[in-house]
Amino acid sequence: MSKLEERFWETKSLQEMNDEEWEALCDGCAQCCLIKFEHPVSKELAVTPVACELLDLETCTCTNYPNRHTLIEDCIELEADGILDLHWLPKTCGYRLVAEGKPLLHWHPLVSGDPGSVHKAGASIKDKAISERDVHPDDLERQFVRWVE
């Protein structure tokens, strides 16, 4: 891994970031890996505490990151030009904050220097979610949470 340009997120747009910078911008909260339902008419979002089957709930990382889009039909690949269209991204998401011209939060690993700071701040799904492997598909729509930002 090459050395990242210091505070690159303050000087570059999402479109200008290289792959390493793009990946580093993820705070590791894994909120995007929670199963969500959108009402077809109102577009109201309902978030479940149920995480994608590929997510390691202890580390909040994907167990098959390179192949996630092939293995999981609904796994959305974030793209710089579409971030603001993804209204379900948490308000704390590094991609969303940069796209909105806002600073990263103090607990973001790029700011804190600590990859575990997102968990210590309570901003991740660590210890709050369950795997979809442990939930019957018919029960998914009955599981909703309010702690997602």
Side-chain angles (χ1 to χ4, degrees):
M1 186 155 116
S2 66
K3 185 170 179 168
L4 293 171
E5 182 182 315
E6 190 171 333
R7 301 187 76 84
F8 65 88
W9 61 93
E10 295 178 339
T11 60
K12 292 184 176 184
S13 69
L14 293 175
Q15 292 80 359
E16 295 170 320
M17 291 182 190
N18 63 38
D19 290 344
E20 186 178 8
E21 292 165 336
W22 179 266
E23 293 297 326
L25 193 55
C26 176
D27 58 33
C29 75
Q31 289 188 45
C32 59
C33 299
L34 294 175
I35 295 174
K36 302 157 195 64
F37 295 95
E38 184 177 69
H39 190 279
V41 177
S42 71
K43 301 297 182 196
E44 184 178 352
L45 191 67
V47 182
T48 74
V50 182
C52 170
E53 66 184 87
L54 294 181
L55 190 72
D56 179 323
L57 296 173
E58 190 60 33
T59 63
C60 291
T61 57
C62 184
T63 59
N64 199 336
Y65 191 75
N67 300 308
R68 68 196 184 281
H69 300 298
T70 305
L71 297 170
I72 305 296
E73 184 180 330
D74 296 345
C75 185
I76 295 175
E77 188 162 3
L78 299 182
E79 295 179 356
D81 292 330
I83 293 296
L84 294 178
D85 295 331
L86 302 175
H87 64 280
W88 50 264
L89 282 175
K91 295 173 187 171
T92 58
C93 175
Y95 298 106
R96 181 175 176 171
L97 291 170
V98 170
E100 293 174 342
K102 296 177 181 174
L104 296 181
L105 299 172
H106 67 91
W107 50 257
H108 192 289
L110 287 172
V111 177
S112 70
D114 176 7
S117 59
V118 64
H119 308 303
K120 292 172 190 166
S124 77
I125 67 168
K126 184 178 168 81
D127 300 325
K128 299 176 187 171
I130 57 176
S131 174
E132 71 177 311
R133 290 184 304 257
D134 299 327
V135 178
H136 190 279
D138 292 343
D139 292 337
L140 278 176
E141 292 190 36
R142 289 187 277 254
Q143 310 255 350
F144 299 110
V145 296
R146 300 228 182 267
W147 49 260
V148 173
E149 293 191 45

